[in-house]
Amino acid sequence: MHIAILTFEGFNELDSFIAQGILNRVRRPGWRVSIAGPTARIRSMNGVVVEAQATLEEACEADAVLVGSGMRTREVVADAGLMARLRLDPARQLLGAQCSGTLVLARLGLLDGVPACTDLITKPWVEEAGVSVLAQPFFARGNLATAGGCLASQYLAAWAIARLEGLDAAQSAIHYVAPVGEKDDYVARALQQVARYLPEGPAATAAAAAG
């Protein structure tokens, strides 16, 4: 099971790293979470340089892909060559986006007819792309999910875990990272946001949804 977090130049550390940290609380053989980028090294909006763990091409073959945000997302979507490398498909993958990452999915035409969440700065650009923006932190429909606000990344990660490993696994991951003395409240809030958008019955994997 490979989950790739698309991370571009000028990325927001909170989006990519919080999601990565929560997703890596799942401990089972074959579970892999990667920071995926267009280049071998990527610099964040605050100057943090990381080495990509996967290429964009590898991410396009992942079971789930989360698109992080950043201060240069509008440059990303204006780069035809870069966007052509993003061959994502909700029929065979779970796809999620955080804040301005929603603009990437919108420009790829993956949110046609699907309302989305994003941050307040990115909202008008997503609307210009023809997508209705919701005033809420998280929304999912089928294999597509979006989150708005940096700290809503916990909802995106919890949704991905719930879809791929089940609600109990998502609950355990959020419980682990939640502040001491507030764990029950954090878990309840996360599950309240995520559970309403899960398929009925056992949590489905992306492959099962595609089949």
Side-chain angles (χ1 to χ4, degrees):
M1 187 67 66
H2 182 200
I3 302 96
I5 302 172
L6 297 192
T7 303
F8 300 100
E9 195 72 12
F11 73 92
N12 185 323
E13 303 94 333
L14 292 176
D15 294 356
S16 293
F17 294 158
I18 289 177
Q20 183 188 41
I22 295 174
L23 287 164
N24 269 319
R25 295 317 310 166
V26 175
R27 305 294 189 188
R28 78 164 177 85
W31 183 271
R32 175 189 174 204
V33 183
S34 300
I35 296 293
T39 56
R41 304 178 80 217
I42 317 154
R43 184 180 298 273
S44 78
M45 61 191 296
N46 292 306
V48 178
V49 178
V50 299
E51 293 186 1
Q53 300 166 301
T55 65
L56 294 186
E57 287 71 24
E58 289 173 317
C60 292
E61 299 302 319
D63 301 280
V65 179
L66 304 184
V67 186
S69 76
M71 63 186 302
R72 297 177 63 178
T73 305
R74 294 180 78 187
E75 296 175 35
V76 170
V77 299
D79 187 331
L82 180 54
M83 291 292 280
R85 297 172 64 186
L86 300 179
R87 299 180 180 277
L88 307 177
D89 185 356
R92 60 179 176 84
Q93 299 170 299
L94 293 184
L95 299 179
Q98 177 78 34
C99 293
S100 66
T102 298
L103 182 60
V104 175
L105 294 187
R107 289 293 185 85
L108 288 172
L110 298 173
L111 296 177
D112 289 349
V114 180
C117 301
T118 189
D119 63 277
L120 298 180
I121 293 175
T122 308
K123 178 182 177 180
W125 306 331
V126 173
E127 290 177 331
E128 286 175 5
V131 177
S132 175
V133 175
L134 302 169
Q136 61 190 61
F138 180 80
F139 178 81
R141 178 179 294 171
N143 282 357
L144 291 165
T146 51
C150 297
L151 296 182
S153 55
Q154 61 179 308
Y155 303 143
L156 198 59
W159 172 80
I161 294 172
R163 287 295 310 273
L164 296 169
E165 282 293 302
L167 200 55
D168 287 346
Q171 178 176 342
S172 177
I174 295 297
H175 188 273
Y176 184 93
V177 301
V180 172
E182 300 179 341
K183 290 184 178 294
D184 290 344
D185 290 341
Y186 266 71
V187 170
R189 184 182 303 114
L191 296 188
Q192 181 182 35
Q193 289 294 334
V194 170
R196 73 185 79 173
Y197 301 113
L198 297 177
E200 294 183 4
T205 64

